[in-house]
Amino acid sequence: MAARVWRGSAKDALLNKLKYIYDVGPRRFSATFEAAAGGAPRIPHSSKKGRFLTGTMIGLAIAGGAYVSTVDEATYCGWLFKATRIVNPFFALLDAEVAHRLAVSAAAHGFVPREKRPDPTILGLEVWGRKFTNPIGLAAGFDKNAEAVESLLGLGFGFVEVGSVTPMPQEGNPKPRIFRLPKEGAIINRCGFNSEGIVVVAKRLGAQHGKRKMEETSSTSPSLTEEVKHGGKAGPGILGVNIGKNKTSEDAASDYVQGVHTLSQYADYLVINISSPNTPGLRKLQGRKQLKDLVKKVQAARDEMQWAEEGPPPLVVKIAPDLSKEDIEDIAAVAVALHLDGLIISNTTVSRPDPVSNHPLAGESGGLSGKPLFDMSTNILKEMYILTRGKIPLIGCGGVSSGEDAYKKIRAGATLVQLYTAFAYGGPALIPQIKAELAECLAKDGFKSVQEAVGADCR
């Protein structure tokens, strides 16, 4: 079979990207190092790490340029995702927060692959009247300020959640505040809702929303029209906006209402984050009375706004894994009584389960995420599914690093699944791998769709 030759426009786009990397990339990386270091002395352009990372990216782009002319689009796309495995380990050489900022900056400037291959049809589902091409999403915390929404959705996630976003800008807790535990596949963080604030984030999301509307109304391309039809307000996938409160605020409800009024018009779904362990007093909002009062006020704020035919965005609450049986029952009761649109289970844990308990960093304060959280969060997920009788969509989050993990979350009651820590360690190549593994798990057990498998272990 003859190899497909790409159109000139595709080649030109790649060459322009290569030129941009060559001319601007080193300066971008240097600026990112300086910003992530919080004003530390500027790392020179000649630094070994900067040269090595930039050189690696240029090398990959050159190799891609030679490869792109002789292969079909799907094969080339697969090659690009696999190639990120070469670059990703070098981020481990950097400080955790510097690496995070560099990764967000790279995504914001388009230095990440874009998924061109369609998702397996078995992974498609509809939730809240919105079509998801797959149930795998990126949790809040990676793109806190909505800097890279389009590129992150383009990686092939079914949905991306930005935030947490606070009403007023705040720096968060002092650095260092992110600690890697690579052997355990875990991270401890105590960032404390570092955010540029709702005004800055609203401007970014507004620009993205406007661009999307222009594409939707002006495009005559059948492929783009179909993508818009199955997409959300910001791109081919669904966009969630996670809202938090300011550390010094004495009126939490007012903060969440302000976030809803400013950001809900750009969201396919909204999240009230009341479970971060790094904001003093925040988790007290999970109490039955406090949660009921808060949800009522936020629902009222959302519903009083003017909405088009599609209606207001669904409202979801993100809860902690460190809950007693009574706490879980109270949250379930409030969720059912107030017709909450969903729950995210769960946030990070303040506990240090094995094998982290004996780690030298176990004493660092903050929330633990990653593989050690999987069993704890999945058990609560299953219990919540039973208590809510499967009537409320649940998003399983905590320790997902493979398609099998995602499948276990779904069988325990999750309609959608999120990851973060595994993505931080595995990079973009992990996304198509998880989707392929999940599709295989579903088919192996005879399920024809994700929806059929939801709560299978609770029946």
Side-chain angles (χ1 to χ4, degrees):
M1 183 175 178
R4 172 183 168 186
V5 178
W6 274 37
R7 298 185 302 272
S9 59
K11 291 182 182 179
D12 291 342
L14 182 65
L15 290 173
N16 288 335
K17 179 69 71 177
L18 174 59
K19 185 177 185 300
Y20 183 84
I21 293 173
Y22 182 80
D23 292 340
V24 183
R27 295 195 296 276
R28 290 286 189 194
F29 286 140
S30 183
T32 302
F33 272 113
E34 183 178 6
R42 183 183 179 91
I43 297 178
H45 164 58
S46 60
S47 71
K48 292 182 179 180
K49 289 180 181 177
R51 291 206 317 270
F52 193 47
L53 282 168
T54 305
T56 301
M57 292 187 71
I58 292 174
L60 288 173
I62 292 173
Y67 193 57
V68 70
S69 299
T70 60
V71 298
D72 64 271
E73 191 173 26
T75 302
Y76 178 61
C77 181
W79 179 85
L80 281 179
F81 273 87
K82 289 177 182 177
T84 62
R85 294 189 185 278
I86 301 172
V87 178
N88 202 60
F90 300 125
F91 283 84
L93 302 173
L94 308 173
D95 168 80
E97 191 152 359
V98 171
H100 178 211
R101 283 300 313 146
L102 184 59
V104 174
S105 181
H109 291 94
F111 297 148
V112 292
R114 186 172 183 83
E115 184 59 84
K116 299 290 186 180
R117 299 161 294 183
D119 287 329
T121 55
I122 196 173
L123 297 184
L125 71 164
E126 187 172 316
V127 188
W128 306 310
R130 290 149 173 81
K131 292 184 178 180
F132 292 71
T133 60
N134 72 77
I136 306 301
L138 179 61
F142 183 81
D143 190 7
K144 290 176 177 288
N145 298 301
E147 298 173 72
V149 173
E150 185 176 6
S151 291
L152 292 173
L153 285 171
L155 285 172
F157 284 110
F159 62 109
V160 167
E161 191 175 307
V162 299
S164 295
V165 188
T166 56
M168 300 298 295
Q170 62 179 30
E171 292 293 328
N173 294 321
K175 300 176 184 178
R177 54 193 180 186
I178 303 177
F179 306 91
R180 296 189 187 102
L181 293 76
K183 290 183 179 179
E184 291 76 14
I187 290 174
I188 294 174
N189 94 82
R190 53 169 178 264
C191 291
F193 285 170
N194 49 311
S195 173
E196 292 181 10
I198 58 175
V199 174
V200 171
V201 172
K203 287 181 179 178
R204 289 196 182 114
L205 292 179
Q208 182 67 32
H209 185 61
K211 178 182 176 183
R212 186 66 176 169
K213 284 295 184 183
M214 287 183 64
E215 290 176 347
E216 187 174 342
T217 55
S218 64
S219 174
T220 57
S221 167
S223 61
L224 183 57
T225 302
E226 183 69 13
E227 183 179 291
V228 171
K229 179 180 177 183
H230 288 84
K233 293 184 178 179
I238 302 297
L239 175 66
V241 177
N242 185 303
I243 301 169
K245 69 175 285 291
N246 283 112
K247 183 177 182 178
T248 57
S249 174
E250 296 181 0
D251 187 349
S254 177
D255 278 17
Y256 290 109
V257 166
Q258 191 175 349
V260 167
H261 282 161
T262 307
L263 299 173
S264 58
Q265 61 186 311
Y266 307 119
D268 292 305
Y269 71 93
L270 287 168
V271 181
I272 304 175
N273 188 350
I274 55 172
S275 52
S276 169
N278 302 313
T279 297
L282 186 68
R283 289 190 168 187
K284 292 180 180 179
L285 296 173
Q286 295 176 119
R288 186 168 188 149
K289 183 181 184 305
Q290 294 90 331
L291 179 60
K292 187 175 182 179
D293 291 344
L294 176 63
V295 171
K296 281 185 175 180
K297 289 178 181 178
V298 175
Q299 285 177 330
R302 177 199 61 176
D303 295 343
E304 71 186 10
M305 298 174 67
Q306 296 293 322
W307 296 104
E309 185 178 340
E310 64 183 11
L315 186 65
V316 179
V317 171
K318 187 168 186 175
I319 65 174
D322 310 299
L323 297 169
S324 67
K325 183 176 179 60
E326 183 181 358
D327 291 333
I328 297 171
E329 291 173 349
D330 284 346
I331 292 172
V334 171
V336 172
L338 297 183
H339 305 289
L340 200 61
D341 298 302
L343 293 167
I344 298 178
I345 306 169
S346 68
N347 213 316
T348 58
T349 177
V350 294
S351 67
R352 297 293 182 261
D354 292 333
V356 176
S357 57
N358 295 320
H359 194 282
L361 292 174
E364 293 288 350
S365 63
L368 173 73
S369 63
K371 291 182 179 180
L373 179 59
F374 182 83
D375 289 341
M376 178 188 301
S377 59
T378 305
N379 289 338
I380 295 177
L381 171 67
K382 186 174 182 179
E383 191 169 354
M384 189 63 73
Y385 180 84
I386 294 171
L387 288 169
T388 57
R389 300 181 293 280
K391 294 181 178 180
I392 297 174
L394 305 178
I395 301 177
C397 183
V400 176
S401 59
S402 68
E404 185 178 357
D405 289 341
Y407 183 53
K408 288 178 180 178
K409 293 281 188 185
I410 290 168
R411 290 186 65 99
T415 300
L416 301 169
V417 178
Q418 289 180 323
L419 60 145
Y420 176 9
T421 301
F423 177 64
Y425 283 121
L430 186 65
I431 306 166
Q433 176 188 321
I434 286 180
K435 291 190 291 186
E437 291 172 352
L438 174 58
E440 184 179 344
C441 287
L442 289 165
K444 183 179 178 181
D445 285 352
F447 293 113
K448 296 180 180 179
S449 68
V450 171
Q451 201 65 55
E452 283 187 7
V454 174
D457 290 342
C458 305
R459 297 166 191 163

